[in-house]
Amino acid sequence: MPLRFFNTYSRELEEFKARDDHKIDIYTCGPTVYSRAHIGNFRAYVFEDLLQRHLEARSFKVHRVMNITDVDDKTIRGAREARVPLQKFTQQFKEAFFEDAETLRIKPADEYPAATDHRYIDKMIAMISALIAKGLAYQADDKSVYYRINKFPNYGKLAHFNLAELKSTGRVKHDEYDKEHIGDFALWKAWDEDDGDVKWDSPWGSGRPGWHIECSAMATAILGDQIDVHCGGVDNIFPHHEAEIAQSEGVTGKKFVNYWLHCAHLLVDGQKMAKSLGNFYTVPDVLEKGYNGRELRYALMRVHYRTQLNFTWDGMKEARESLGRIDDWLERLRGIADNDPSRTGDKRSTSNTQHPIGSEFEEALDDDLNISAALGFLFETIRDTNRALDENKLDAKTAAAWLNWWSRINQTLDFESGDFELPAEVAKLAEARAQARLAKDFRKSDELRDQLNALGWEARDTKDGQKITRRAGA
């Protein structure tokens, strides 16, 4: 089955064709660091992690960029209320984001550009200048620069709305000024006293970039004028991603993104998550209830990304039980595989029933990341192999084959518990690798990592050092 994804732009399932046969560029909208990201945000980030891992399982090399929005109305307001510089205010939430992403086993992006980086501020100014030169932008009476949406014929095609019906989104300050169209959005916001010391020089006076131009600048600066996939939550479709298209294509004249993938909202007990309702949860909030990152990862991943996910504490219990079934299954398989007669000299062998065949799991994910179908196949497999184990109809070689199959699909899921006592040889290598990293001897560290891999163990670097987990099937 070919890879297929639902493209928000066309509203159709489309066969995926990368611009390069082996490499895929992905841009994902990251956190706005004015507060700690909540589990609704991480639902999208877990979906994007699944996307990257599956593409890699299909032999693509993925170059993923996730931006950090560290200057906008919310971050400035937060810094002002906390009476600290913007950078100090946002840094705490950047660190919290990376900590939570690690807890949820989300693979790090290749790059995390920050909007306040001068390289990208310069890129934003250059793009705005180009848009003005082409008549696609103008400076209004309030000294801010706005995008002239009536001059971009495709504006509204991502969100599928009629431009004549557009109403103010409330995302732009100073609506009282004489903009040419109510939907014209700010590219550059003129400085005012509420901004404090947050400002940069520009041809239009001191000010700061609008929210939308930040992503256009960072995406094209790193990935080029055209990219394969752009992801985000459905709340990003309009106005943010619509504006990104207008800005980027307005400058380059090229199609900005080939495939737009958007994740549906997360609800809590059937309601929108809100602090006022008392149902607003961050990753630490879930951990304080006694759950771990692996269980939350499962709970956030188990429902198809385009379907609303209803988060409940009963659902977290189900996630724990489901992972328990996987753990018990792996333990049983390992117990049988350890009795492989080729290693013990025991010639006894039972029937090779239930041998892994086909690729139903991967094919389910090929179909627009249908994780529900993929997990359904996994648990059907667990049920059938457990029955064969109960009936003594599954031998060591078959058990090892299923463990190898699990090892392959777990590279995509990352559901392994990792709760194993390290053998002495592995513990010695792990300690040596930790020391090599402390000494910044990265060549030695890589050599030791390869030795661990050869023994069936994987070293994952964390902010506190490293975590050693057993490769399933090893």
Side-chain angles (χ1 to χ4, degrees), residues 142-144 174 188-200 205-208:
D142 67 346
K143 304 303 180 183
S144 294
H174 310 318
W188 187 262
K189 295 187 175 184
W191 180 89
D192 66 29
E193 61 183 13
D194 287 341
D195 293 336
D197 60 357
V198 180
K199 59 182 178 180
W200 289 267
S206 295
R208 58 185 173 91

Side-chain angles (χ1 to χ4, degrees), residues 317-334:
K317 292 178 183 177
E318 292 172 6
R320 173 170 288 176
E321 292 168 357
S322 296
L323 289 171
R325 286 183 63 194
I326 294 173
D327 292 343
D328 292 343
W329 176 64
L330 293 174
E331 184 176 357
R332 294 190 75 186
L333 289 176
R334 290 187 180 112

Side-chain angles (χ1 to χ4, degrees), residues 53-86:
R53 288 170 180 266
H54 182 57
L55 289 171
E56 290 174 340
R58 287 312 197 194
S59 301
F60 287 103
K61 179 177 175 58
V62 175
H63 183 192
R64 182 166 65 91
V65 174
M66 174 181 277
N67 76 292
I68 304 290
T69 299
D70 57 355
V71 58
D72 77 334
D73 293 343
K74 293 178 180 179
T75 57
I76 293 173
R77 182 168 59 249
R80 185 174 65 245
E81 291 174 352
R83 297 183 179 181
V84 296
L86 179 66

Side-chain angles (χ1 to χ4, degrees), residues 97-115:
F97 165 74
F98 289 118
E99 178 182 332
D100 293 345
E102 181 183 305
T103 296
L104 294 176
R105 306 182 178 195
I106 295 172
K107 293 187 70 168
D110 294 288
E111 296 174 74
Y112 290 99

Side-chain angles (χ1 to χ4, degrees), residues 99-136:
E99 178 182 332
D100 293 345
E102 181 183 305
T103 296
L104 294 176
R105 306 182 178 195
I106 295 172
K107 293 187 70 168
D110 294 288
E111 296 174 74
Y112 290 99
T116 56
D117 189 310
H118 281 281
R119 290 172 295 174
Y120 306 119
I121 294 291
D122 290 345
K123 176 73 171 179
M124 296 170 208
I125 291 173
M127 292 185 77
I128 296 169
S129 297
L131 291 170
I132 291 175
K134 292 184 176 186
L136 291 170

Side-chain angles (χ1 to χ4, degrees), residues 27-30 65-69 113 115 120 123-124 127 209-222 227 230 236 240-241 244 247-248 256:
Y27 185 86
T28 58
C29 282
V65 174
M66 174 181 277
N67 76 292
I68 304 290
T69 299
Y120 306 119
K123 176 73 171 179
M124 296 170 208
M127 292 185 77
W211 175 40
H212 311 308
I213 194 66
E214 295 175 1
C215 279
S216 285
M218 289 183 281
T220 56
I222 298 172
I227 59 179
H230 196 315
N236 291 140
H240 186 48
H241 290 165
E244 278 191 60
Q247 294 162 162
S248 304
F256 177 40

